[in-house]
């Protein structure tokens, strides 16, 4: 199978890159980490106007999705620019609520599609923490076959990435939906969160590699750029290979997910949103490969930048601190490998 993005999909990615380049995301990240969500919410609204969050919402609720391939294109760009906020969780919530159906879907999905609603969530078996719950308009939790709206974000927990704060949602909250459809939709939402996180990790790694290549062309030792040293070239080449091997797995998973959601009845709240073993294994393969490649890019960037890579003032530090959390979120490498083997 030979897979290429269409001209429209490539243009979508270029338009997001231009939007985010003009947005000065390092300044947005610093404000977000300091608790000022205003610039981040403004950027979120511009991304919504570009159609990013509508990609996970069915047309019946004001979206254009589900469109996994376009979602991959978008999340790679958002990862490349380190956009703050619960991106993967909001996209996953769109799948969760669409699969659940009922009043809760009608209430929240139009807002997710338009960017008016920023959502975080936790799913049973995915860990107890909801990223950026303090900035979210809603935090959904799923336990068994019950979907609840958490009464509050809860207490923050330590996070490697200060612009990706973790919260353990307050317990309780009345169930807003229950039944087999919730359990099935939660599995599909977990796949979506892992898939989006894989794309974010790939984009993060690409930016780390780009910045490192630019730096080793400028830094000199013994009168020549350090990028001319064979050991440096080999390290950068290995990093590039890791990222390029992850890319087809990511888009292969997108094709699997697109085939899954195109089945009759998918996303209607009937329980048919449950992910297939094949799609789940494809997502897990993409997640572990992209996550490891992004983290390897961070290690390369830190080594080749030297001591300057540790400085808070260097914008690169925000990408360095994001790579490992993205590798481990929504499926650690060991858990993803186990799922690939089981699939």
């Amino acid at each position: 199978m030979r897979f290429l993005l269409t001209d429209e999909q490539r243009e979508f990615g270029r338009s997001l890159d231009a939007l985010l380049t003009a947005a000065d995301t390092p300044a947005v990240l610093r404000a977000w980490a300091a608790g000022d969500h205003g610039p981040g919410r403004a950027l979120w609204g511009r991304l919504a106007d570009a159609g990013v969050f509508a990609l996970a919402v069915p047309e019946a609720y004001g979206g254009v999705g589900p469109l996994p391939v376009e979602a991959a294109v978008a999340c790679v760009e958002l990862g490349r620019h380190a956009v703050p906020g619960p991106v993967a969780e909001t996209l996953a919530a769109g799948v969760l609520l669409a699969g659940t159906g009922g009043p809760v879907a009608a209430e929240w999905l139009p807002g997710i599609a338009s960017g008016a609603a920023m959502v975080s969530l936790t799913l049973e078996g995915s860990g107890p923490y909801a990223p950026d719950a303090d900035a979210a308009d809603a935090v959904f939790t799923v336990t068994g076959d019950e979907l609840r709206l958490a009464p509050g974000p809860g207490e923050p927990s330590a996070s490697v990435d200060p612009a990706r704060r973790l919260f353990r949602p307050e317990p309780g909250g009345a169930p807003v939906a229950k039944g087999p459809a919730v359990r099935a939709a939660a599995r599909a939402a977990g796949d979506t969160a892992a898939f989006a996180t894989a794309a974010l990790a790939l984009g993060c790694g690409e930016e780390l590699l780009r910045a490192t290549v630019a730096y080793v062309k400028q830094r000199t030792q013994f009168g020549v750029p350090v990028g001319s040293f064979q050991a440096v070239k080999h390290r950068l080449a290995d990093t590039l290979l890791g990222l390029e091997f992850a890319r087809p797995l990511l888009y292969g998973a997108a094709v699997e997910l697109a085939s899954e959601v195109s089945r009759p009845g998918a996303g209607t709240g009937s329980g048919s949103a449950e992910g297939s073993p094949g799609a789940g294994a494809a997502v897990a393969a993409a997640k572990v490969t992209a996550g490891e490649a992004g983290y390897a890019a961070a290690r390369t960037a830190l080594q080749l930048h030297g001591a300057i890579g540790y400085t808070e003032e260097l914008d690169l530090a925000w990408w360095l601190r994001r790579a490992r959390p993205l590798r481990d979120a929504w499926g650690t490498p060991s858990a993803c490998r186990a799922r690939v083997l089981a699939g």
Side-chain angles (χ1 to χ4, degrees):
M1 177 179 179
R2 185 164 181 253
F3 179 82
L4 292 173
L5 295 174
T6 66
D7 291 341
E8 292 78 6
Q9 290 164 343
R10 292 178 183 275
E11 182 56 35
F12 179 49
R14 286 192 290 267
S15 68
L16 290 177
D17 178 50
L19 184 158
L20 292 168
T21 299
D24 189 15
T25 52
V28 176
L29 280 164
R30 287 185 168 86
W32 191 272
D36 179 8
H37 300 136
R41 290 300 297 252
L43 178 57
W44 191 275
R46 293 199 291 274
L47 290 170
D49 291 341
V52 170
F53 303 108
L55 296 172
V57 177
E59 292 183 14
Y61 297 100
V64 297
L67 295 174
V69 176
E70 285 76 6
V73 172
C75 287
V76 168
E77 293 301 328
L78 269 59
R80 196 195 315 274
H81 291 273
V83 172
V87 173
E89 292 72 25
T90 296
L91 293 172
V95 172
L96 172 66
L97 298 178
T100 300
V104 65
E107 178 181 359
W108 287 99
L109 285 177
I112 289 175
S114 69
M118 179 184 288
V119 178
S120 192
L121 83 161
T122 64
L123 303 176
E124 193 172 36
S126 66
Y129 299 115
D132 299 306
D134 60 331
D137 300 294
V139 179
F140 290 101
T141 64
V142 175
T143 304
D145 61 358
E146 286 191 345
L147 171 64
R148 296 175 181 266
L149 182 60
E155 292 297 321
S157 298
S159 175
V160 173
D161 182 357
R164 189 177 184 273
R165 302 179 67 198
L166 301 176
F167 291 80
R168 188 186 294 267
E170 292 181 7
V176 294
K178 60 174 60 178
V182 171
R183 188 183 295 269
R187 283 191 282 267
D191 284 345
T192 299
F195 170 71
T197 303
L200 292 169
L202 178 61
C204 179
E206 288 179 347
E207 175 57 22
L208 285 164
L209 178 60
R210 183 208 63 78
T212 305
V213 169
Y215 180 72
V216 298
K217 289 180 178 179
Q218 298 172 357
R219 180 184 172 191
T220 60
Q221 285 184 354
F222 310 112
V224 296
V226 297
S228 64
F229 301 157
Q230 188 176 42
V232 172
K233 290 179 179 180
H234 284 181
R235 186 67 185 266
L236 292 170
D238 289 343
T239 302
L240 176 61
L241 283 173
L243 294 169
E244 289 304 317
F245 270 108
R247 193 184 314 281
L249 289 175
L250 176 69
Y251 286 108
V255 172
E256 289 280 356
L257 289 173
S259 299
E260 183 68 18
V261 299
S262 66
R263 290 185 299 110
T268 62
S270 63
S272 58
E274 181 177 355
S276 71
V283 169
K287 176 64 174 57
V288 66
T289 309
E292 294 279 35
Y295 183 51
R299 293 170 63 88
T300 296
L302 186 58
Q303 181 184 26
L304 297 185
H305 276 80
I308 193 175
Y310 290 95
T311 60
E312 186 73 24
E313 293 76 16
L314 188 70
D315 289 343
L316 184 80
W318 296 97
W319 280 259
L320 288 172
R321 289 182 291 195
R322 180 152 294 202
R324 183 165 183 172
L326 289 175
R327 184 196 69 173
D328 296 338
W330 294 105
T332 62
S334 60
C336 289
R337 290 188 178 96
R339 191 174 187 190
V340 171
L341 291 173

